[in-house]
């Protein structure tokens, strides 16, 4: 089965049919762009959008609202229809219009060609109005203190708490629970956030979830901050561990898991003084280390911190005193 990507289909979307299904009506259109009232999916417009701030660019397959932010049409559909990426793509493909300039045979031939070439198309990152975080800021949650994240660090990175956070699932419906909100800023923009659930979640919701189209493969958490520091950053897998390290005075970056992508490796090259790798104590961590070493050792100095004892452990499992003792065992990777 040929799995389509968004970049394969967005030029063929029948936007009129899509708009009708989304209940949206453009007020003004140019050759490439439709403008109309914002769908206000994040309740960011105080009195509704009365001036028509939402623009959809059909050529690029992107949307933008002056208040809410923007991203791909796929991410808009994910949010509007509460679908994950694959389901949203399936849903969106019903609006693919084969009666365009190319026949459906030509269309599939082109898609296959593109898949063979597999040249990565730059995907526009989602971005959000930072004010969306305001509703979760305020009190310093005791769970953060227990995890070794100081009030100052939590405030700086706009870490929030949502007492009745909502997560939709296409089949299982809505779940409401307590969550810590971990914002992700990239090049000065809010590109999404992770939710660290504090409540007991049903099996279809993991301990960590994130916003639609979350750029976990294209970006690194804490990059902007680490770039401004004198010392080499410690690279870890999880955002919570990075926040703990920063609290203890060590610049840190998180990769959102053990998988290191090419885009992330290229970004890490920017740390010309080197980086300190701190993999989790598991198979994923070993792979993380090998991938980093393989690619980066030709470019920048690499240091490694020995894994924390205990299966799946990481630096976040240590107390502040244990951390400072543990960080004395830094090895140079050759
Ligand atoms: Zn808006």
């Amino acid at each position: 089965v040929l799995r389509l990507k968004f970049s394969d289909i967005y030029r063929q979307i029948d936007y009129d049919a899509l708009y009708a299904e989304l209940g949206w009506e453009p007020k003004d259109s140019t050759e490439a762009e439709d403008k109309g009232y914002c769908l206000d999916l994040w309740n960011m417009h105080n009195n509704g959008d009365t001036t028509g701030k939402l623009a959809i660019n059909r050529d690029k397959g992107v949307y933008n609202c002056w208040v809410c932010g923007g991203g791909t049409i796929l991410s808009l559909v994910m949010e509007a229809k509460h679908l994950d990426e694959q389901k949203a793509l399936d849903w969106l493909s019903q609006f693919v219009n084969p009666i365009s300039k190319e026949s459906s045979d030509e269309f599939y031939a082109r898609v296959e060609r593109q898949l063979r070439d597999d040249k990565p198309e730059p995907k526009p990152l989602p971005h959000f109005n930072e004010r969306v975080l305001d509703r979760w800021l305020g009190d310093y949650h005791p769970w953060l203190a227990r995890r070794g994240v100081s009030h100052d660090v939590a405030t700086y990175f706009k870490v929030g708490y949502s007492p009745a956070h909502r997560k939709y699932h296409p089949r299982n419906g809505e779940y409401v629970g307590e969550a810590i909100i971990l914002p992700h800023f990239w090049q000065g923009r809010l590109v999404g956030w992770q939710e660290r659930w504090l409540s007991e979640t049903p099996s279809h919701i993991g301990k960590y979830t994130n916003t639609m189209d979350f750029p976990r493969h294209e970006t690194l958490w804490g990059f902007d901050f680490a770039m401004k520091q004198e010392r080499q950053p410690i690279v870890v897998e999880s955002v919570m561990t990075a926040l703990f390290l920063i609290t203890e005075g060590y610049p840190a970056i998180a990769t959102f898991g053990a998988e290191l992508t090419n885009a992330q490796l290229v970004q890490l090259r920017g740390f010309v003084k080197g980086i300190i790798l701190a993999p989790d104590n598991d198979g994923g961590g070993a792979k993380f280390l090998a991938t980093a070493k393989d690619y980066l050792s030709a470019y920048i100095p690499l240091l490694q911190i020995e894994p924390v004892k205990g299966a799946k452990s990481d630096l976040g499992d240590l107390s502040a005193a244990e951390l400072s003792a543990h960080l004395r065992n830094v090895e140079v990777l050759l």
Side-chain angles (χ1 to χ4, degrees), residues 25-284:
E25 207 184 311
K27 300 285 165 213
D28 186 23
S29 295
T30 63
E31 208 168 89
E33 201 166 70
D34 298 313
K35 286 190 184 137
Y37 300 126
C38 184
L39 294 164
D40 202 11
L41 300 171
W42 296 271
N43 298 314
M44 295 299 291
H45 297 266
N46 288 335
N47 303 303
D49 175 17
T50 51
T51 53
K53 295 186 180 66
L54 178 68
I56 291 182
N57 186 307
R58 296 185 304 271
D59 281 358
K60 295 181 179 150
V62 298
Y63 76 96
N64 187 71
C65 166
W66 290 111
V67 173
C68 301
T72 63
I73 291 301
L74 180 64
S75 62
L76 184 75
V77 165
M78 287 166 74
E79 190 68 29
K81 292 283 167 188
H82 311 311
L83 299 172
D84 66 22
E85 186 164 354
Q86 192 53 55
K87 293 258 166 49
L89 202 53
D90 292 346
W91 187 85
L92 200 52
S93 55
Q94 70 178 302
F95 302 102
V96 169
N97 184 4
I99 322 159
S100 64
K101 281 155 240 143
E102 55 186 358
S103 70
S104 59
D105 281 352
E106 284 167 339
F107 166 67
Y108 277 99
R110 179 176 62 77
V111 168
E112 259 176 356
R113 208 164 53 237
Q114 285 172 338
L115 288 176
R116 254 201 320 276
D117 296 348
D118 207 25
K119 53 172 190 319
E121 286 203 31
K123 184 171 89 170
L125 300 183
H127 60 277
F128 298 83
N129 185 328
E130 266 183 63
R131 272 182 26 228
V132 77
L133 302 173
D134 290 352
R135 64 196 76 176
W136 304 310
L137 298 175
D139 297 340
Y140 173 50
H141 197 275
W143 185 83
L144 292 169
R146 285 201 296 278
R147 295 291 303 258
V149 178
S150 71
H151 193 176
D152 282 350
V153 167
T155 304
Y156 181 87
F157 290 97
K158 294 185 182 284
V159 175
Y161 166 70
S162 176
H165 207 64
R166 288 157 197 280
K167 202 79 198 170
Y168 298 94
H169 188 276
R171 250 195 341 273
N172 301 307
E174 187 185 59
Y175 168 73
V176 181
E178 272 188 289
I180 293 289
I181 308 297
L182 303 166
H184 177 27
F185 292 92
W186 178 252
Q187 294 173 346
R189 268 179 162 183
L190 177 65
V191 293
W193 55 89
Q194 290 189 306
E195 292 111 358
R196 191 343 187 140
W197 296 91
L198 301 184
S199 47
E200 200 67 47
T201 51
S203 59
H204 67 273
I205 296 178
K207 195 159 69 166
Y208 282 93
T209 53
N210 39 55
T211 41
M212 49 94 191
D213 229 5
F214 189 78
R216 66 182 300 152
H217 296 121
E218 297 88 353
T219 60
L220 294 161
W221 185 91
F223 183 86
D224 301 356
F225 177 79
M227 265 291 173
K228 288 186 236 149
Q229 310 303 312
E230 281 293 314
R231 292 153 71 195
Q232 304 103 316
I234 301 177
V235 182
V236 297
E237 297 179 25
S238 103
V239 173
M240 278 306 299
T241 300
L243 286 165
F244 167 53
L245 288 169
I246 293 169
T247 295
E248 293 303 317
Y250 307 97
I253 279 178
T255 57
F256 309 113
E259 191 197 343
L260 269 174
T261 65
N262 286 335
Q264 290 174 324
L265 289 166
V266 169
Q267 288 149 16
L268 288 172
R269 263 170 66 179
F271 293 96
V272 290
K273 288 184 200 163
I275 56 172
I276 304 169
L277 298 157
D280 289 8
N281 193 354
D282 56 19

